[in-house]
Amino acid sequence: MTETRTETESQAETRAAPGGAAFGPQLRQCRQAAGLSLRQLAGRVGYDHSYLSQVERGQRPGSADLARRCDGELGTGGQLAEAWTPTKARTGTSAGRPDSLDTAWQQLASAFPSALRTAPSAVLSEGPSALQSLPAARRLPALVSELSAPPTGDRSAHDARQVELSLSIAETLTACARAGEARRWWWAARQLADALGEPRLRSLARSREAISGLAEGCAPAHLLELADEALALALQEPVHPGEVLRARAARARVLAQLGRVVEAHELLPEVLSHANELPSASTGGGPTPYEVHVVEGSVCASLGYWTAGCLMFARALELCPDERLEERALLELAMAECFAGSGQGAAALATALRVLIELPDEWHTTYLYVAAERVLTGVRRCAPALTGLHDLELLVARRGRVGRTVGSESSWGRRRE
């Protein structure tokens, strides 16, 4: 990123620099051990190389965001984030101000002590409706605030809402490239759902984690275990057909990822017929027609039925609310992947370039770039000589900037006004 901060901010960082002395040298040592130059690491994490140089020399304190991204690129397992934490406390930038996400976690643990008391250290050590119309970085504080609100009305409904909010927090952290922190929220959602004992919630928690895990690149064997559990739980309460559909779709997509295509194909008729049996409008918290088409399109695309997948995604796009910019962008990229899969490389490339260029930066997420990478792979396969392919490669390489709230003016914010 280009340094554009004010002189006051720069002076404040310089005064705080002695507190960053431990973090800077450790960052340099880890970078050198990984065999990367300053410019190489800067390009991967989305920071200017001169800024990284100042951090390594102790002239700038760095940030939690920088430490987290470097941990991810250098494979240091949270070592740098841990090294930076004391620095942050010494500089006074957040002294005495508790992290809201960690506070929400503590409140959740206090409300459900029996469910969360056995948290594995590997999980806990990873770090501390209308919301869908907000970018992920702005959505997260709203979710945390809602989860921290005191219970009102029916306690069971409140507890169920806590599970769903925990899932949304996990998905949002993943979208913001904070997969380590997301891991403990995925775990918490499953634990809380199990403690409540409601099959629908238990199935929901596993299905959503499995589907998100496909984008995160989690081990497919683990995701299949989650999907199998989700389907078994959903079938215990067929009164919730939406969860049965979600679980079957998750299982089909994971099987396709594992290369077990025959088994995935066997699930496709069940997914499509189940979707057709759902009410035409969402009732009782079930999936909306838009969400049903997304499920259908995702399963078809994962099995290589590109024309059918594209049709389903197009239907979903027609029904997706205008203000959900990220979801609309994901649907367009899903259609672009289908274009590439069916040999329409030029259409796929044009769609992906338009989405990544026009969508404001604050809406760019991990999920978006994973979808764009799939389009890139498809275009390379069907039309490797296309002019503009290198432009898409450069845009996909910007994934390291996910999580920043930069903002920009574009037709995405104006096209439907």
Side-chain angles (χ1 to χ4, degrees):
M1 72 175 194
T2 303
E3 290 294 293
T4 57
R5 290 179 294 178
T6 66
E7 180 64 26
T8 300
E9 290 172 318
S10 178
Q11 291 171 348
E13 272 200 342
T14 302
R15 288 195 300 271
F23 172 65
Q26 190 165 351
L27 173 59
R28 180 190 295 113
Q29 182 179 6
C30 293
R31 174 180 60 76
Q32 292 174 343
L36 295 178
S37 68
L38 266 174
R39 288 183 181 275
Q40 288 173 323
L41 180 60
R44 293 187 182 190
V45 299
Y47 278 83
D48 184 79
H49 73 279
S50 63
Y51 174 75
L52 281 190
S53 177
Q54 291 172 357
V55 171
E56 288 190 350
R57 297 197 305 270
Q59 296 175 350
R60 295 281 185 93
S63 66
D65 176 74
L66 173 63
R68 184 176 65 248
R69 290 174 187 276
C70 289
D71 271 327
E73 290 296 332
L74 300 175
T76 43
Q79 178 182 342
L80 293 171
E82 184 177 348
W84 183 83
T85 301
T87 301
K88 181 180 180 181
R90 284 193 297 269
T91 63
T93 56
S94 300
R97 205 185 320 163
D99 178 79
S100 60
L101 190 62
D102 196 56
T103 299
W105 173 267
Q106 297 301 332
Q107 290 178 345
L108 196 65
S110 298
F112 298 91
S114 60
L116 302 186
R117 68 172 177 235
T118 57
S121 58
V123 173
L124 292 178
S125 64
E126 292 292 345
S129 56
L131 292 178
Q132 293 303 116
S133 64
L134 294 175
R138 287 163 52 196
R139 189 187 315 144
L140 186 59
L143 288 167
V144 169
S145 176
E146 187 172 350
L147 183 136
S148 304
T152 57
D154 181 37
R155 180 72 198 196
S156 61
H158 172 79
D159 291 348
R161 182 63 176 151
Q162 297 290 88
V163 173
E164 295 179 0
L165 286 169
S166 296
L167 290 171
S168 294
I169 288 173
E171 288 170 337
T172 305
L173 285 168
T174 301
C176 293
R178 296 166 65 176
E181 292 171 85
R183 222 165 282 136
R184 69 171 177 176
W185 287 93
W186 288 121
W187 177 85
R190 276 188 280 118
Q191 292 296 109
L192 297 184
D194 290 348
L196 294 175
E198 186 179 336
R200 181 190 74 82
L201 288 173
R202 298 178 67 196
S203 176
L204 176 68
R206 287 158 172 80
S207 292
R208 285 172 64 172
E209 183 175 357
I211 291 170
S212 179
L214 288 170
E216 295 176 62
C218 296
H222 170 63
L223 300 183
L224 182 59
E225 181 181 344
L226 288 173
D228 285 342
E229 291 176 3
L231 183 55
L233 288 163
L235 290 173
Q236 290 180 22
E237 274 194 354
V239 70
H240 297 293
E243 294 313 322
V244 177
L245 172 64
R246 193 194 309 268
R248 280 184 172 145
R251 189 169 190 274
R253 292 175 64 184
V254 175
L255 285 170
Q257 183 76 16
L258 283 166
R260 294 163 60 176
V261 180
V262 173
E263 294 172 77
H265 271 284
E266 291 173 353
L267 278 171
L268 180 59
E270 297 179 19
V271 170
L272 297 179
S273 63
H274 203 83
N276 291 333
E277 293 168 4
L278 289 175
S280 58
S282 176
T283 58
T288 64
Y290 147 68
E291 293 168 324
V292 171
H293 290 320
V294 172
V295 168
E296 293 173 320
S298 299
V299 174
C300 288
S302 69
L303 293 173
Y305 292 116
W306 303 116
T307 301
C310 190
L311 177 62
M312 297 301 176
F313 289 133
R315 290 178 179 174
L317 187 61
E318 290 177 2
L319 298 171
C320 183
D322 290 348
E323 64 272 12
R324 297 189 176 188
L325 299 190
E326 180 190 346
E327 293 180 47
R328 295 185 66 87
L330 286 170
L331 286 170
E332 293 210 53
L333 289 175
M335 292 173 64
E337 182 187 5
C338 292
F339 292 152
S342 59
Q344 302 176 61
L349 180 61
T351 301
L353 287 173
R354 177 176 54 77
V355 169
L356 293 177
I357 291 171
E358 293 187 353
L359 187 68
D361 285 357
E362 64 178 350
W363 288 94
H364 287 209
T365 66
T366 297
Y367 298 121
L368 186 86
Y369 281 103
V370 168
E373 286 171 0
R374 290 200 299 267
V375 178
L376 178 59
T377 298
V379 174
R380 282 171 173 163
R381 185 180 298 120
C382 73
L386 268 181
T387 301
L389 185 57
H390 182 60
D391 294 332
L392 181 57
E393 291 171 344
L394 292 176
L395 288 170
V396 169
R398 296 177 70 234
R399 179 174 176 173
R401 296 176 182 269
V402 168
R404 304 182 186 284
T405 304
V406 181
S408 65
E409 291 295 324
S410 78
S411 61
W412 279 82
R414 302 189 300 267
R415 68 172 61 174
R416 287 174 294 275
E417 290 181 359

